[in-house]
């Protein structure tokens, strides 16, 4: 029945209601305040929600479940949340409930026809639910029976490698550590996670060049930087609290340079919502220069900036490059210089779409800065050549010695609150042998050494029938991954799909032969175990580890914490062959942290140090100019400028978030900072390209992606004229994920190429 009614794995609103509006002149201000109040009033209520928001990112409160931008140390004010954080907290703290009666009323077939934002708006899940084979309705199941159902499927596999265990970045350190422990005791390293789809390219690029896959800066470095380059990132929507630090930097004279295909409001001007006197006027200018590069023009533009630096060095030797740093700490400098000399300005400007004059102005900013920070997000990481691109950014910083000193360094800004912590805790399909050795010593078992599936290859294994059980701790796997129809077929090939979730989402509806929804506590809720109230910990983008303690009563008496759910599955599956005292670990999370301190480097005396507010920093050797590479030195690297041979009528498209969205969670149908309201089926397009193609504003088009000999189609998108370079388009995910081929991923990191999709447009009939 579900198959016959199945139309499309992602449903959305009809785009006839889309309206284009005037772009705001700045981010923040009154608009941000009104938007926050609207969401708080709608979900938790103004009084309840306001009390809760005052505990967000506070030392005695809970870490925002949204982005991983760090908090200040002891200098925190009463308000430490942003508009997007308020939406996320309100979304979790909603008073609406999805009970067993809801599933009795709504069939799965009927739910698949509802848009994603409607599914999310139904409220918090309250009971464990099972969808039995050939049924079209979820029904209640006890926790013990749910655990036994999972155990029976896992124990019936011919190999542990026939199961995949996915993790989102919402999961706490404690839950992530238990999860990987169970999975490895079960016998596999099939631990794909959301890092595979977002910042894996950063980790690979940085590990090869500077020896550590993490960022090298801390929050205080933003107060010392002379220049900040914001590359492939839209902080106004994705990391709004970052705007406060950019404003502080701009106020003291720091030069901010934006490099991005879209001229985003959030990197142009900002009105601090907490400073009423700033609500009037045009707001504080942030980026002094914006380089509107073509999509995937980053390698070319950084070659151009470095070529300009080289020309200045040639004219006045010893005044531009940090020769002492280069000689002492790096290798490969001569090869880079030769490649820069061999690359012509015509090649550079044609590939990036930016004039030589503007590139020279960006280079002048770098030359005049003693300290430079480079920040980036998925605008860099989701291309086939993403690792190369990030290594070009590293080249740029190495030339000026801007790594490993105060006010300078690399800053990949993570998108989910604990995505970096999950990886630190061992959520990784290719674990470090030293980590496995310490895990074996602590828990007296032999962990598997064979590498597991990353996210892309897990999808392919499910599609090919090599994986029969899929478990996801958090996230919305179907909507988050590329090639949506392919992923849907992959999930339906499984015998069992399990989702540990707080709210209803699309992945609960496209399932294996059987499916389980296991509702868990959210970050905002109190976690009471046998020894009393517990806290968890997270790691932010700058490697600070700190406490998070929920304040709300649980949304349902039937909710379990993520550690308790993992322990329940582990006990039912492993039984007496497990060497872990699962009950003791869940009764007192201090015991989990004690084991973490024995297994993971940098967590010595974990329980004591994390209680000392505001937490502690993990060691990042790059920060101290210790480069853990094969040679012990930072590596200059040489890369070609990527070329996109577009045929007539073809464009290169990237997927982006709207302002009413966090990852795959859709809060509403507006994108205030891009002047769009009432819908998400939109494609942003250069006005000259529209005229050339004979398209009118808000005309409906079908989008076809072209990869090798394959085509994929997304239907009925409304064309919105926008300030984007020619032959470039932008669309929202997850609606456009259907266009991203599963076999199109970044070299080395296997990150899907969601920012480099070759497409054509056809007017709807």
């Amino acid at each position: 029945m579900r198959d016959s009614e199945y139309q499309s794995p992602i449903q959305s609103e009809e785009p006839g209601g889309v309206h284009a509006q005037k772009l705001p002149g700045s981010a923040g201000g009154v608009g941000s305040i009104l938007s926050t109040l609207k969401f708080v009033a709608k979900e938790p209520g103004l009084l309840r929600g306001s009390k809760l928001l005052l505990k967000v990112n506070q030392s005695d409160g809970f870490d925002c479940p949204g982005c991983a931008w760090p908090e200040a140390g002891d200098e925190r004010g009463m308000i430490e949340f942003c508009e997007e954080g308020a939406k996320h907290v309100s979304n979790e703290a909603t008073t609406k409930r999805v009970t067993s009666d809801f599933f009795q009323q709504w069939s799965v077939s009927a739910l698949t026809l509802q848009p994603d934002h409607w599914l999310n708006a139904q409220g918090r899940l309250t009971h464990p639910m099972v969808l039995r084979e050939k049924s079209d309705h979820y029904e209640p199941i006890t926790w013990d029976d749910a655990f036994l159902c999972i155990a029976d499927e896992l124990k019936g596999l011919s190999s542990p490698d026939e199961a995949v265990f996915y993790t989102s970045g919402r999961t706490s350190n404690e839950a992530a550590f238990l999860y990987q422990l169970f999975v490895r005791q079960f016998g596999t390293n099939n631990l794909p996670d959301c890092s595979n789809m977002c910042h894996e390219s950063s980790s690979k690029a940085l590990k090869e060049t500077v020896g550590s896959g993490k960022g090298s800066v801390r929050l205080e470095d933003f107060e010392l930087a002379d220049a900040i380059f914001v590359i492939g990132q839209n902080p106004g929507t994705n990391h709004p609290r970052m705007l406060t630090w950019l404003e502080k930097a701009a106020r003291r004279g720091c030069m901010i340079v934006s490099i991005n295909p879209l001229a985003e409001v959030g990197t142009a001007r900002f009105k601090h919502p907490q400073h009423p006197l700033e609500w009037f006027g045009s707001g504080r200018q942030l980026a002094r220069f914006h380089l509107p590069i073509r999509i995937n023009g980053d390698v070319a533009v950084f070659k151009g900036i470095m070529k300009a630096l080289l020309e200045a060095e040639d004219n006045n030797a010893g005044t531009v490059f940090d020769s002492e740093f280069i000689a002492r700490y790096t290798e490969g400098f001569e090869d880079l210089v030769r490649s820069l000399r061999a690359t012509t300005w015509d090649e550079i400007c044609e590939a990036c779409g930016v004039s030589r004059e503007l590139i020279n102005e960006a280079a002048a900013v770098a030359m005049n800065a003693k300290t430079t920070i480079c920040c980036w997000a998925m605008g860099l990481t989701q291309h086939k050549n993403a690792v190369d691109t990030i290594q070009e950014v590293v080249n740029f910083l190495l030339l000026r010695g801007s790594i490993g000193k105060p006010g300078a360094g690399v800053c990949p800004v993570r998108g989910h609150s604990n995505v970096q912590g999950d990886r630190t805790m061992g959520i990784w399909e290719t674990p470090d042998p030293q980590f496995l050795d310490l895990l074996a010593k602590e828990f007296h078992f032999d962990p598997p050494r064979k590498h597991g599936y990353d996210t892309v290859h897990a999808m392919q294994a499910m599609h090919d029938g090599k994986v029969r059980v899929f478990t996801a701790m958090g996230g919305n796997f179907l909507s988050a991954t590329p090639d949506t129809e392919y992923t849907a077929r992959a999930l339906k090939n499984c015998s069992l799909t399990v989702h540990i979730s707080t709210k209803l989402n699309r992945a609960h509806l496209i399932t294996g032969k059987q499916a389980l929804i296991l509702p868990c506590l959210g970050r905002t809720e109190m976690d009471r175990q046998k020894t009393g109230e517990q806290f968890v910990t997270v790691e932010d983008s700058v490697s600070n580890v700190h406490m998070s303690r929920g304040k709300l009563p649980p949304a349902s008496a039937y909710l379990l914490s993520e550690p308790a759910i993992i322990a329940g599955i582990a006990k039912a599956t492993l039984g007496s062959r497990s060497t872990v005292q699962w009950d003791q670990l869940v009764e007192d999370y201090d015991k989990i942290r004690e084991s973490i301190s024995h297994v993971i480097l940098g967590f010595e005396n974990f329980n004591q140090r994390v209680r000392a507010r505001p937490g502690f920093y993990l060691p990042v050797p790059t920060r101290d100019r210790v480069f853990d590479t094969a040679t012990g030195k930072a590596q200059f690297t040489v890369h070609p400028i990527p070329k996109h041979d577009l045929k007539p009528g073809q464009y290169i498209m990237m997927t982006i978030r709207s302002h009413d969205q966090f990852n795959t969670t859709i809060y509403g149908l507006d994108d205030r900072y891009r002047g769009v309201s009432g819908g998400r089926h939109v494609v942003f397009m250069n006005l000259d390209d529209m005229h050339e193609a004979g398209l009118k504003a808000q005309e409906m088009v079908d989008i076809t992606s072209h990869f090798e000999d394959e085509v994929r189609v997304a239907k009925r998108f409304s064309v919105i004229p926008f300030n984007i370079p020619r032959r470039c388009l932008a669309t929202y995910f997850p609606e456009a994920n259907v266009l991203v081929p599963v076999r199109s991923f970044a070299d080395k990191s296997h990150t899907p190429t969601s920012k480099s999709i070759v497409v054509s447009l056809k007017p709807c009939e």
Side-chain angles (χ1 to χ4, degrees):
M1 183 173 181
R2 278 181 281 140
D3 287 344
S4 64
E5 296 187 13
Y6 173 82
Q7 297 294 323
S8 172
I10 298 289
Q11 296 293 334
S12 189
E13 77 296 333
E14 281 300 312
V18 174
H19 299 286
Q21 300 173 334
K22 183 180 179 181
L23 290 175
S26 62
V30 175
S32 180
I33 295 171
L34 293 176
S35 177
T36 297
L37 291 174
K38 180 183 76 171
F39 278 91
V40 173
K42 180 181 176 182
E43 300 293 351
L46 279 176
L47 180 60
R48 179 171 174 264
S50 298
K51 290 181 179 178
L52 187 64
L53 289 175
L54 293 177
K55 292 297 182 182
V56 178
N57 295 325
Q58 299 293 343
S59 296
D60 62 342
F62 59 92
D63 193 75
C64 179
C67 79
W69 185 255
E71 288 80 53
D74 293 325
E75 302 174 3
R76 303 183 193 185
M78 287 182 60
I79 298 177
E80 287 291 340
F81 60 87
C82 64
E83 177 187 348
E84 294 303 298
K87 291 176 184 176
H88 204 87
V89 169
S90 298
N91 182 66
E92 184 175 291
T94 180
T95 57
K96 300 173 185 176
R97 300 290 182 261
V98 176
T99 65
S100 54
D101 290 341
F102 173 91
F103 288 108
Q104 187 175 6
Q105 175 187 356
W106 285 89
S107 68
V108 173
S109 299
L111 288 171
T112 60
L113 302 178
Q114 298 297 325
D116 282 28
H117 71 91
W118 184 93
L119 296 174
N120 176 71
Q122 300 314 298
R124 288 289 300 277
L125 297 160
T126 61
H127 294 73
M129 306 295 294
V130 61
L131 181 66
R132 302 191 188 278
E133 189 171 359
K134 297 182 179 179
S135 175
D136 199 32
H137 281 269
Y138 275 98
E139 58 188 77
I141 187 173
T142 66
W143 279 107
D144 286 344
D145 286 347
F147 296 149
L148 287 174
C149 177
I150 298 169
D152 288 345
E153 289 288 341
L154 291 176
K155 289 190 285 189
L157 300 176
S158 59
S159 164
D161 292 330
E162 291 183 343
V164 159
F165 301 87
Y166 177 79
T167 315
S168 85
R170 186 204 67 203
T171 306
S172 68
N173 288 329
E174 291 74 13
F177 185 78
L178 287 194
Y179 196 51
Q180 64 81 30
L181 175 60
F182 156 62
V183 171
R184 292 191 166 104
Q185 286 228 323
F186 177 63
T188 185
N189 281 314
N190 285 346
L191 283 159
D193 68 341
C194 57
S195 285
N196 295 148
M197 293 186 290
C198 55
H199 267 289
E200 196 72 57
S201 299
S202 299
S203 301
K204 293 287 185 183
L206 295 176
K207 184 68 177 174
E208 289 182 356
T209 53
V210 295
S212 173
K214 296 183 179 182
S216 65
V217 303
R218 296 179 180 174
L219 200 52
E220 56 264 30
D221 289 311
F222 283 83
E223 298 181 304
L224 303 173
D226 296 326
I228 300 172
F229 283 68
V230 181
I231 318 154
Q233 183 189 5
N234 177 20
T237 287
N238 300 332
H239 316 95
R241 286 190 299 128
M242 181 178 177
L243 297 184
T244 299
W245 291 86
L246 293 180
E247 183 199 40
K248 289 180 180 179
R251 189 186 299 275
R252 61 176 176 79
C254 175
M255 297 292 287
I256 299 171
V257 178
S258 167
I259 301 177
N260 200 37
L262 299 178
E264 301 283 14
V265 171
T267 45
R269 289 186 173 275
F270 176 58
K271 298 178 182 179
H272 200 305
Q274 297 180 42
H275 301 162
L277 294 179
E278 296 182 10
W279 297 352
F280 308 97
S282 59
R284 171 74 58 179
Q285 182 181 8
L286 299 182
R288 299 289 186 92
F289 297 99
H290 172 66
L291 278 59
I293 61 168
R294 294 192 176 113
I295 292 174
N296 200 19
D298 306 271
V299 169
V301 83
F302 272 96
K303 281 189 181 295
I305 294 172
M306 290 187 291
K307 188 175 181 69
L309 295 178
L310 176 60
E311 291 173 351
E313 175 73 10
D314 287 342
N315 291 332
N316 199 351
T319 63
V320 178
F321 293 163
D322 189 335
S323 301
E324 182 181 348
F325 172 86
I326 291 169
R328 181 176 179 183
Y329 291 106
T330 74
E331 286 188 340
F333 171 71
E334 293 79 7
D335 290 338
L336 176 67
V337 169
R338 277 192 292 271
S339 75
L340 294 176
R341 295 193 191 283
T343 306
T344 68
W345 276 108
D346 285 345
E347 290 178 279
I348 290 168
C349 295
E350 171 62 25
C352 71
V354 177
S355 69
R356 180 174 178 179
E357 290 73 23
L358 190 53
I359 292 173
N360 281 332
E361 289 180 333
V365 170
M367 280 188 282
N368 292 325
K370 294 181 179 179
T371 53
T372 299
I373 293 173
C374 283
C375 309
W376 67 88
M378 289 187 285
L380 292 195
T381 64
Q382 293 184 321
H383 302 279
K384 181 171 177 55
N385 57 297
V387 173
D388 291 357
T389 300
I390 295 162
Q391 290 182 344
E392 288 290 355
V393 176
V394 173
N395 285 339
F396 163 65
L397 291 170
L398 291 177
L399 287 177
R400 296 280 295 159
S402 279
I403 290 184
K405 65 180 180 180
V410 291
C411 183
V413 183
R414 315 290 178 168
H416 214 321
S417 60
N418 198 41
V419 61
Q420 187 160 300
D422 284 353
R423 180 58 56 85
T424 302
M425 291 295 109
I427 301 293
W428 197 12
E429 75 280 358
T430 57
D432 183 89
Q434 184 181 13
F435 166 81
L436 293 179
D437 292 342
L438 292 170
L439 193 69
K441 180 180 179 181
E442 176 71 6
F443 293 103
H444 311 292
F445 78 108
D446 186 16
R449 305 282 168 159
K450 175 186 172 184
H451 287 178
Y453 295 125
D454 59 23
T455 299
V456 165
H457 291 97
M459 293 161 56
Q460 293 174 334
M462 287 189 287
H463 190 273
D464 296 342
K466 297 177 182 179
V467 165
R468 293 172 50 199
V469 176
F470 173 81
T471 300
M473 187 160 64
N476 179 352
F477 186 78
L478 178 68
S479 295
T481 49
D483 216 336
T484 315
E485 293 182 7
Y486 180 98
T487 305
R489 292 193 296 271
L491 289 168
K492 290 166 75 68
N493 273 349
C494 294
S495 59
L496 176 67
T497 50
V498 181
H499 292 276
I500 302 169
S501 305
T502 58
K503 300 191 79 177
L504 186 65
N505 67 53
R506 182 70 49 188
H508 302 145
L509 310 178
I510 309 299
T511 70
K513 293 180 176 63
Q514 288 194 92
L516 287 165
I517 300 174
L518 305 182
C520 65
L521 294 174
R523 188 78 60 79
T524 60
E525 292 169 314
M526 291 180 282
D527 183 351
R528 292 191 177 95
Q529 301 298 336
K530 191 172 182 179
T531 60
E533 189 174 334
Q534 307 296 313
F535 68 86
V536 295
T537 63
V538 297
E539 178 187 349
D540 60 31
S541 287
V542 298
S543 301
N544 179 266
V545 179
H546 50 275
M547 298 170 55
S548 177
R549 191 189 298 270
K551 296 299 179 181
L552 288 178
S556 165
Y558 295 94
L559 301 185
L560 294 182
S561 70
E562 287 177 325
I565 293 172
I566 297 161
I569 297 172
K571 290 190 297 178
T573 303
L574 303 175
S576 60
R577 75 182 180 93
S578 177
T579 61
V580 179
Q581 300 298 316
W582 296 101
D583 287 335
Q584 292 182 20
L585 294 176
V586 173
E587 289 169 2
D588 184 354
Y589 293 177
D590 274 359
K591 295 185 182 298
I592 304 175
R593 287 185 284 271
E594 185 66 24
S595 288
I596 291 172
S597 71
H598 299 158
V599 173
I600 302 176
L601 301 179
F603 283 85
E604 296 79 10
N605 299 315
F606 188 5
N607 278 308
Q608 293 76 22
R609 291 164 68 203
V610 81
R611 284 176 164 87
R613 298 168 181 169
F616 62 93
Y617 284 101
L618 294 175
V620 178
T622 311
R623 184 172 176 82
D624 300 317
R625 292 189 168 176
V626 175
F627 301 109
D628 189 18
T629 62
T631 63
K633 293 189 174 184
Q635 303 295 308
F636 283 102
T637 50
V638 176
H639 308 287
I641 293 176
K643 298 184 183 300
H644 299 281
D645 296 321
L646 299 176
K647 298 176 182 178
Q650 289 186 341
Y651 309 86
I652 185 165
M653 187 191 81
M654 62 180 180
T655 63
I656 57 177
R657 286 188 202 169
S658 78
H659 197 62
D660 272 0
Q661 173 180 3
F662 178 79
N663 291 348
T664 59
T665 302
I666 311 301
Y667 304 126
L669 301 180
D670 298 342
D671 192 349
R672 190 172 78 251
Y673 289 167
R674 298 193 185 100
V676 173
S677 66
R680 296 179 49 80
H681 259 62
V682 302
V683 53
F684 296 100
M685 190 174 188
N686 181 283
L687 188 60
D688 290 336
D689 284 339
M690 289 173 57
H691 291 158
E692 185 176 285
L695 296 173
K696 298 178 181 178
Q698 296 185 231
E699 184 172 351
M700 307 303 301
V701 297
D702 294 338
I703 309 175
T704 300
S705 72
H706 305 271
F707 176 75
E708 297 178 350
D709 58 346
E710 304 168 359
V711 295
R712 293 163 175 78
V713 181
K715 292 185 175 295
R716 296 185 60 76
F717 281 67
S718 181
V719 176
I720 302 293
F722 206 81
N723 185 12
I724 186 171
R726 296 206 64 178
R727 308 294 295 276
C728 296
L729 304 173
T731 50
Y732 296 132
F733 76 88
E735 288 80 4
N737 284 4
V738 68
L739 298 169
V740 185
V742 71
R743 294 189 295 109
S744 181
F745 48 76
D747 297 333
K748 299 182 181 180
S749 69
H750 300 163
T751 299
T753 59
S754 299
K755 298 291 189 291
S756 290
I757 312 160
V758 176
V759 303
S760 59
L761 305 179
K762 179 182 178 182
C764 293
E765 298 177 355

